[in-house]
Amino acid sequence: MSDVAELAALIKRFAVEDGVHATAIERLSLIRISQPNAPLHVLHEPALCIIAQGGKRVMLAEEVYHYDASRYLVASVDLPITGQVVEASPEVPYLCFRLDLDPGEIAALILEAGPPVPPPQRATRGLFLSEATSSMLDAAARLVRLLDAPEDIPALAPLATREIAYRLLRSDEGWRLRQIATPDTQAQRIARAINWLKVHFAEPLRIEDLAREVHMSPSSLHHHFRAVTAMSPLQYQKRLRLQEARRLMLGDGMDASSASYRVGYESPSQFSREYSRMFGEPPARDLRRLRDGKRAMTAP
C-alpha cells in the first residue's frame, strides 16, 4: 500500500460520516466529503492540509489553487478563502488530513534548527501548495494511527506534530513559513496586522493607524499586505465583515440590517451591494438558499 493510500484508509476509518471531525489529538481534524459541494467561504487559520483522496479548489481573492491526492496546502496566516470540493463520490470520498499549525512550535524549531538560508525580506503569499513527500505522509499517518491508542496520545502526539512542522520547515517551500515566524521580517509584521484586523474588523479602519501599530509606513504596509494575502487591508476587512455577517444571520438568526450594523456597516444598502458581490445573491435570497440546502441534506 502506498503512503497516500495508507493515509486515506486511516482517515476513512476514523471519519465514517461526512463532515469535519475533531479528534482526540489537539489540532488534528479529519475531513470526509462524499460529493462535490458548493463554494464555502471561510477564514482559514494557519494549517497544513493534506488531501489523501479526491480533489479541491481553493480561491484566495482572484487566485485559484487546485490540489488533489498526495499534495498539501499550507496557510501560514489567517486568510479569508473560498474552498470547494470538486472531486468526490460516495464510493471514493474526498479525504483530508488537517493539522492546525502552532506558531510557538514553529518558532522554537527555527531557533533550534535554524533555517538553511535566511528568509528573504520581501513578504510573499501566505498560501502555498507543495508535493507531499513520503516522509511527510508517513509522519501524518503515524499521527492518525495514534487514535487507536488513546493512552499514547499525550506522550507521542507532540513528537509527531513536531516532526511534521520540522518537515514543513525543511521542505522546498518552508522558507514561506519561516518568514511569518521570524521576528522583524515584513511577513511577520503583516501577520501582526492580520491579527489586529481580526480583533478590530468591525471598527473604522485607517491605514495610517494600522501601519503605526505594526511599525510600517502606510505604503509599505499596503504593498506587503497585498503580497501575503492577495488583497488590500480594506478588502481583507470587508471579507471578514461579510463572512461574520453571514454567520450571524445563518447561525444566530439575526436579520440583515442588524447583522450589517454589528459588523461595522453604517449603510444597509452598501452592505447588501457588497454582500451580493461576494456571495452572488442579496442576503435574504442567499440565506433562503442555504437554509433550503440544509433542510434537503437532513431530510429522510
Side-chain angles (χ1 to χ4, degrees), residues 10-37:
L10 285 166
I11 296 173
K12 195 171 184 178
R13 182 155 64 86
F14 288 109
V16 296
E17 297 179 344
D18 280 8
V20 180
H21 302 271
T23 72
I25 298 173
E26 187 179 6
R27 300 191 283 121
L28 174 65
S29 300
L30 303 177
I31 304 165
R32 177 178 180 145
I33 304 293
S34 296
Q35 61 184 2
N37 59 14

Side-chain angles (χ1 to χ4, degrees), residues 125-189:
R125 196 69 81 236
L127 190 74
F128 62 89
L129 292 172
S130 189
E131 295 294 331
T133 62
S134 178
S135 56
M136 175 72 79
L137 291 167
D138 177 62
R142 280 188 279 112
L143 182 62
V144 178
R145 212 177 293 127
L146 285 175
L147 296 173
D148 274 328
E151 69 278 6
D152 293 337
I153 288 174
L156 298 183
L159 300 178
T161 59
R162 180 181 171 85
E163 178 186 349
I164 291 169
Y166 174 83
R167 295 196 180 283
L168 273 180
L169 287 169
R170 288 299 189 185
S171 69
D172 290 342
E173 300 292 335
W175 60 271
R176 296 175 182 264
L177 200 55
R178 290 194 296 272
Q179 274 195 330
I180 300 298
T182 302
D184 296 326
T185 61
Q186 300 289 13
Q188 201 269 344
R189 293 188 182 96

Side-chain angles (χ1 to χ4, degrees), residues 39-230:
L40 180 64
H41 300 263
V42 299
L43 181 65
H44 200 303
E45 297 179 344
L48 160 70
C49 298
I50 304 174
I51 292 183
Q53 188 170 275
K56 189 172 187 177
R57 178 170 61 232
V58 172
M59 288 146 278
L60 174 65
E62 303 303 318
E63 299 177 354
V64 181
Y65 298 76
H66 295 271
Y67 74 123
D68 51 21
S70 80
R71 303 188 78 197
Y72 66 76
L73 175 143
V74 171
S76 60
V77 294
D78 297 275
L79 292 170
I81 66 164
T82 305
Q84 183 177 20
V85 173
V86 295
E87 186 181 334
S89 69
E91 298 74 25
V92 187
Y94 167 87
L95 301 169
C96 182
F97 166 104
R98 170 174 168 147
L99 181 66
D100 294 337
L101 298 176
D102 179 357
E105 184 176 62
I106 299 293
L109 282 169
I110 291 174
L111 286 175
E112 291 176 21
V117 293
Q121 277 295 307
R122 71 184 190 283
T124 53
R125 196 69 81 236
L127 190 74
F128 62 89
L129 292 172
S130 189
E131 295 294 331
T133 62
S134 178
S135 56
M136 175 72 79
L137 291 167
D138 177 62
R142 280 188 279 112
L143 182 62
V144 178
R145 212 177 293 127
L146 285 175
L147 296 173
D148 274 328
E151 69 278 6
D152 293 337
I153 288 174
L156 298 183
L159 300 178
T161 59
R162 180 181 171 85
E163 178 186 349
I164 291 169
Y166 174 83
R167 295 196 180 283
L168 273 180
L169 287 169
R170 288 299 189 185
S171 69
D172 290 342
E173 300 292 335
W175 60 271
R176 296 175 182 264
L177 200 55
R178 290 194 296 272
Q179 274 195 330
I180 300 298
T182 302
D184 296 326
T185 61
Q186 300 289 13
Q188 201 269 344
R189 293 188 182 96
I190 297 306
R192 287 163 48 203
I194 287 170
N195 288 334
W196 190 93
L197 282 171
K198 281 179 60 183
V199 175
H200 302 280
F201 70 89
E203 303 173 12
L205 174 61
R206 294 183 69 252
I207 296 299
E208 294 80 5
D209 294 340
L210 180 57
R212 191 179 307 112
E213 182 75 21
V214 296
H215 306 293
M216 300 177 74
S217 69
S219 61
S220 180
L221 169 66
H222 191 275
H223 173 75
H224 291 290
F225 196 98
R226 185 175 288 277
V228 172
T229 68

Side-chain angles (χ1 to χ4, degrees), residues 242 246 249 256 268-291:
L242 292 172
R246 197 188 204 199
M249 291 185 291
S269 60
Q270 180 188 4
F271 168 73
S272 183
R273 286 194 304 271
E274 294 185 353
Y275 189 102
S276 298
R277 280 197 291 268
M278 181 165 173
F279 298 116
E281 295 176 311
R285 193 182 307 162
D286 178 52
L287 293 175
R288 187 162 53 249
R289 176 182 57 81
L290 291 172
R291 287 169 180 149

